Amino acid sequence: MNDKLPLRRATVHDVARQAGVSLATVDRVLNGRPGVRPATAEKVESAIAALDFRRDLSASLLARARDLRVQFILPDGRNEFMANLADAILRRARTGIAERLHLDVVRVKAMDPAALAARLGQLDRKSCDCAVIVATDDEAVRRAVDGLARKGVAVMTLVSDLPNSARKMFIGIDNVAAGRTAASLMGRFCGGGKVALIAGSLGLRDHQDRLAGFREVAAREFPQLELIGPFEAHDDRGETESFAAGLLRDHPDLKGLYNMGAGNSGLIAALEAAGRAGKVRVIAHELAEPTHAGLKSGAIDVVLDQNPDGEIRAAVAGARALALGHPVDPHAEPIEIGIFLRDNLR
Amino acid sequence: MNDKLPLRRATVHDVARQAGVSLATVDRVLNGRPGVRPATAEKVESAIAALDFRRDLSASLLARARDLRVQFILPDGRNEFMANLADAILRRARTGIAERLHLDVVRVKAMDPAALAARLGQLDRKSCDCAVIVATDDEAVRRAVDGLARKGVAVMTLVSDLPNSARKMFIGIDNVAAGRTAASLMGRFCGGGKVALIAGSLGLRDHQDRLAGFREVAAREFPQLELIGPFEAHDDRGETESFAAGLLRDHPDLKGLYNMGAGNSGLIAALEAAGRAGKVRVIAHELAEPTHAGLKSGAIDVVLDQNPDGEIRAAVAGARALALGHPVDPHAEPIEIGIFLRDNLR
DNA sequence: CCAGCCGTGAGGTACGTGCCTCATGAGCTA
DNA sequence: TAGCTCATGAGGCACGTACCTCACGGCTGG
């Protein structure tokens, strides 16, 4: 009989009783509605603390009778990683529907800050609780993010961050660590010799970070490596292919190649055309169709990956926390760097 | 006005109307209660399909007014990985309380099938919706699992599976792939030479699998490696230390060492005592305190890891699916093999 | 002194599902 | 044909929270 009481979770009713106020007042405090004297609010807060009350998520979502709406904004283009990210979102959306979670994806022109800012401007509180963007580091985007925050829409950055803005959270890997890891593996695989570095664009924060990490470890632990580059191939298949072809021609003794950006299918094509696939140690990023094939064939040795499903999971968890008004650490969800060889392909 | 209708999710009421039956009948079908003619059930099923109805999780949990109770049973002892797993469960339990999720952990004597079976026998429907166990491959355990299933308690295996039992699901990494990965890295790091293999026990399925994977790739891709062992050190720190010490003494030319089991602090101690830390390539399993330290100091080169938080997340998701009667693929949640070097330590 | 505002209490409905009881009618058996 | 079982309908309460209206008393300013 009374043995069930200690097992029961505290409810708003318990809080009201404990605080000596009415249910309505507890409700006002809990949901930040006006009309409560600070002293009264204080009583409620301490009752909440004393009872260890936590709002019941199920009931809460049910009572609002409204989905949590999360709007993802990704760059468009032929970038396989972004396509995988979009797929992961759609997958999550299917199971999310049972948890009152409505996920939506739009693509905007890649590397076009104005397009991203404009799309952000169209969002509002009614249609969207949280926007998740792959940020371009730009003033217009920063202003759009801050504007949205003022309108009450939480903004989260994904993959690429936007510091000094009103974004509530960043989800992504530590790209400096990824660069360090690449250097560490490359150093042990090659021993010494020439290693070429290719980036998408040095204007992208994540590529910059990878480069910095690689250089740091290469200099400290593998001084016998001779670094060539970095070069920019703009995440483009064709450009990467022709560039890599030239590199292989000019350096018959090339031992290793680290591609920090996309365009890996071009890279593989160049290696195969030169008959050097499997002879040059290659480290690339993002496990997508081309890199998967490259690992299998032996043209690529290692792929460093940020798991799209994991990132989406973290983003959704963050969005939910933000929407429910929980306090959130901007970098609370460290995404693990996936390392793939031919032998642990998923 | 009517623009909201297409946006609304279907409810049981909609299903009832569409199927031309009452709410009660829909409820009977949904919850597998008796008293529905097959033909009628069929009508309900097709209405569900037509409307794409999914039971609202929030409402469902709320209505049961009852937590989902998940009982974890882990081996006891000084195994750091199991301790980390227990910590991960407690962490998850704290946030789970808001989602009507009650997680509990008990430890039973390690490598003692009878103890595990006995503990399983104490569970029942009332106190537990789902049991999650690190299985020992044994007949008594298998019988206990099957008995529990008959009592209506779902059983899930974690880390180490129990095939040919009534367990509904297995959560863990692909240990054969882990072994292959270890061999692939070891081969590239060493080039050739003597590599020693240490397991906890060859009676453990996961260690067996790792061994098989390692041998497969070593034989195929790195025939110049000379494999020594496998030896059994029973996941014990002291035993591993003395054994490794002997190994290092007997083989001054030892190039690599793959420890498939626990006891890594002993391994590191032996390496340091012999002055060979950093000179022998070492690959170990599970990122815990000793292996973390080993990576940092350079005594260990690579740690293959199964992320405890990820495994618990998958286990909880699976438990929820099982409890709600969703169909579940026994191996639906592939856990990624984490690969850690000094450079991407979390 | 009264109008007006503010803080608060009281009580209700709704969200979608789970689970219960009771009634009804159809089909079966003896 | 009485009595039975079984499939189904009808309806209601509960879960814990969100959000609404209305009322009441105290306080303030003019």
Side-chain angles (χ1 to χ4, degrees), chain B residues 21-22 25 28 35-37 40 62-63 100:
Chain B
V21 303
S22 77
T25 300
R28 291 180 185 114
V36 181
R37 238 183 329 218
T40 312
L62 181 58
R100 308 199 145 274

Side-chain angles (χ1 to χ4, degrees), chain B residues 39-91:
Chain B
T40 312
E42 178 58 35
K43 280 197 298 182
V44 175
E45 297 287 4
S46 41
I48 289 176
L51 295 174
D52 190 30
F53 167 82
R54 334 264 182 107
R55 180 195 315 246
D56 184 309
L57 235 181
S58 308
S60 169
L61 288 175
L62 181 58
R64 331 175 108 83
R66 172 168 173 287
D67 285 4
L68 188 63
R69 307 181 79 92
V70 182
Q71 176 71 61
F72 288 83
I73 307 181
L74 308 182
D76 67 358
R78 305 175 312 289
N79 189 324
E80 296 98 2
F81 174 66
M82 293 303 163
N84 287 349
L85 214 46
D87 286 348
I89 295 167
L90 295 180
R91 265 195 300 282

Side-chain angles (χ1 to χ4, degrees), chain A residues 4 29 32 53 92 101 108 115 124 126 138 155 159 186 188 209 217 245 249 257 259 271 287 312 314 324 330 338:
Chain A
K4 292 181 77 177
V29 172
F53 166 82
R92 184 68 180 79
L101 199 55
V108 297
D124 64 9
K126 296 279 156 251
D138 179 274
V155 182
V159 177
M186 188 65 87
R188 298 184 212 214
D209 286 352
V217 167
R249 190 183 337 106
L257 211 156
N259 183 17
L271 283 161
L287 192 61
I312 298 308
L324 292 175

Side-chain angles (χ1 to χ4, degrees), chain A residues 287-304:
Chain A
L287 192 61
E289 206 280 306
T291 47
H292 197 283
L295 281 176
K296 274 197 132 165
S297 76
I300 296 182
D301 294 87
V302 177
V303 169
L304 303 181

Side-chain angles (χ1 to χ4, degrees), chain A residues 21-22 25 28 36-37 40 63:
Chain A
V21 302
S22 78
T25 299
R28 291 181 185 111
V36 181
R37 239 182 330 215
T40 313

